[in-house]
Amino acid sequence: MTLPASQVSEHTSGRSKPHAVVIGSGFGGLAAAIRLGARGYQVTVLERLDAPGGRAYVHKIDGFTFDAGPTIITAPFLLDDLWGLCGRSFSEEIDIRLMDPFYRIRFDDGKVFDYNGDADAVKAQIAKFSPRDVAGYDRFMEHSQAIFKIGFEQLGHVPFNSWTDMLKIVPDMITLGSHRSVYAMVSKYIKDPYIRQVLSFHPLLIGGNPFSVTSIYTLISFLERKWGVHSAIGGTGALVKGMVSLIEGQGGTIRYGAEVEQILVKDGTATGVRLKSGEAIAAPVVVSNADAAWTYRYLLPTEHRSHWTDQKIDRAQYSNGLFVWYFGTKRQYPEVAHHTILLGPRYKGLLDDIFKNKRLAKDFSLYLHRPTATDPGLAPEGCDTFYVLAPVPHLKGDIDWEKQAEPYRARIAKYLSETVLPGLEDEIVASLVTTPRDFQDRLLSYNGAGFSLEPILLQSAWFRPHNASEEVNGLYLVGAGTHPGAGVPGVLSSARVLDTVVPDASTYA
Ligand SMILES: Cc1cc2nc3c(=O)[nH]c(=O)nc-3n(C[C@H](O)[C@H](O)[C@H](O)COP(=O)(O)OP(=O)(O)OC[C@H]3O[C@@H](n4cnc5c(N)ncnc54)[C@H](O)[C@@H]3O)c2cc1C
């Protein structure tokens, strides 16, 4: 489609640098904007919401500050890089703190496992449950390190544009046993069912079922040990705010309330975007940080798609949905760690209900976030800020969230009250619930999935939507649904791939 001169927005004219448009201001979109800005592009980020961050949006309610999504910050060097590209210092501008424990894991019978990056401390915890698994843990971590060296260091930021790129890594993948699931890999080294859960739940943090995602994701164990698990003072929102200030410092622009309706294409090449308002914005480089499935299904007309057809998008497997309840309490719970994982009575059975049967089970496993453990400034004095998250089926499950949300929230509140937050129901003074419906309607996430496409082997690397679109030239993808995948380190790495696949700005000068 050609743009009539009268419709071309002022944002496209009168600049000497070539224009790059980024659709969406999630971590992936912000990082892409910074990288393109550093390479000489004039960048405009278009965000449909009223503030940046996407899944890392910040809700402020009655003096409580709630980070909507990511809270576990790993691989901080990826953020450091972005500040460095702008000639600024991450450590001088952002205060991140190492967590200890990384997570407190509480089993349904009340047993507790404190997990951190200190090998001896973890082994002492394992010994409490299962002394015979201590040696297995060392061997598991060696394996995790080997996978990390290939999966993260060598492949995390390279584009998988062609089938031959994929073929090159097959021998390594076979050697590392990538065909196995995370749970199967952990079970090879560990016998105790409690410890198997402790070492295998990580894929849930990026939307994968430990019983089906490739064991490549066991690299997270080593990643966490090497760089630690951190939280930012001011919350994850402080990182988002910092990235926005980098973009603005480069002379880039972020427009809010700007929803892209269509990616414009001429002769097989992206030429810009059209907003819902009708405004057209021209750019030789278009980067979509919108959900990858949504980008192809709704933003790129069918006549420009031969690979990601509607049928293929529909048949793909999506990550789980998320039920998240943000709440503030009028008292503090100082004995509750910053990150607590409350594992329910069933492990595989619950995961089957979420990922396969797609039904809302009576039981749940929860992640409880208490950021005020690290930064009391996120709540009014004497109060605590929390969120609790339950993995649930995405919207292909037949769950009426209008009806189910409140009883489900109440069940979770009761469980928390009976376990780690005594008297909770009487202490709540702020409350907000989000369900997979909100992920679909607010974030435009296909099927309301929490983390886009599920990271199974046949939806990873070359099999995932490519960072340089396989459909049209000049279109690039960053974020959870493209390579390497979800999670803050994943989406920051997807933006790093752009350095390889987006041409130099001089190409368009
Ligand atoms: C509750 C929760 C907890 C999590 N916890 C962690 C954690 O602790 N650690 C971790 O590493 N990861 C975590 N994750 C995962 C991580 O947050 C995500 O994988 C990552 O933030 C996704 O970033 P993204 O770049 O894909 O963009 P998103 O955050 O998905 O943002 C995409 C943006 O695009 C905008 N957009 C979409 N369509 C359009 C359009 N047509 N026009 C304009 N704008 C559009 C959306 O409004 C949104 O702002 C969590 C996720 C959730 C939901």
Side-chain angles (χ1 to χ4, degrees), residues 75-143:
F77 64 90
L78 291 168
L79 291 161
D80 212 66
D81 275 1
L82 298 175
W83 263 255
L85 286 173
C86 301
R88 283 165 56 175
S89 161
F90 178 67
S91 59
E92 278 172 23
E93 294 184 24
I94 307 282
D95 183 359
I96 58 166
R97 304 281 171 92
L98 182 67
M99 298 288 98
D100 192 8
F102 290 174
Y103 318 99
R104 173 158 297 152
I105 298 154
R106 183 189 184 280
F107 295 94
D108 200 48
D109 59 9
K111 287 188 181 149
V112 169
F113 188 116
D114 273 350
Y115 182 82
N116 68 9
D118 178 57
D120 290 335
V122 173
K123 283 193 263 184
Q125 292 282 316
I126 292 175
K128 273 193 335 192
F129 286 79
S130 171
R132 67 180 174 150
D133 280 326
V134 170
Y137 171 69
D138 278 335
R139 292 205 307 278
F140 167 73
M141 287 307 291
E142 278 165 25
H143 193 99

Side-chain angles (χ1 to χ4, degrees), residues 8-29:
V8 176
S9 132
E10 58 184 288
H11 295 276
T12 63
S13 56
R15 82 169 55 78
S16 50
K17 294 176 178 181
H19 193 203
V21 158
V22 178
I23 308 168
S25 67
F27 265 103

Side-chain angles (χ1 to χ4, degrees), residues 9-77:
S9 132
E10 58 184 288
H11 295 276
T12 63
S13 56
R15 82 169 55 78
S16 50
K17 294 176 178 181
H19 193 203
V21 158
V22 178
I23 308 168
S25 67
F27 265 103
L30 295 174
I34 294 163
R35 288 186 173 276
L36 291 169
R39 291 179 61 206
Y41 284 91
Q42 180 66 41
V43 181
T44 306
V45 180
L46 300 165
E47 170 56 58
R48 72 184 293 273
L49 297 177
D50 61 354
R55 279 154 170 85
Y57 188 92
V58 179
H59 300 287
K60 291 203 183 240
I61 307 172
D62 298 338
F64 293 89
T65 302
F66 298 102
D67 281 319
T71 59
I72 296 159
I73 302 303
T74 49
F77 64 90

Side-chain angles (χ1 to χ4, degrees), residues 1-13 15 19 21 260 262-267 269-275 278-286:
M1 178 173 173
T2 326
L3 301 173
S6 59
Q7 276 184 25
V8 176
S9 132
E10 58 184 288
H11 295 276
T12 63
S13 56
R15 82 169 55 78
H19 193 203
V21 158
V260 171
Q262 196 176 315
I263 294 165
L264 304 171
V265 178
K266 187 168 184 257
D267 301 332
T269 298
T271 57
V273 297
R274 194 182 60 239
L275 302 185
E279 180 188 355
I281 301 176
V285 168
V286 175

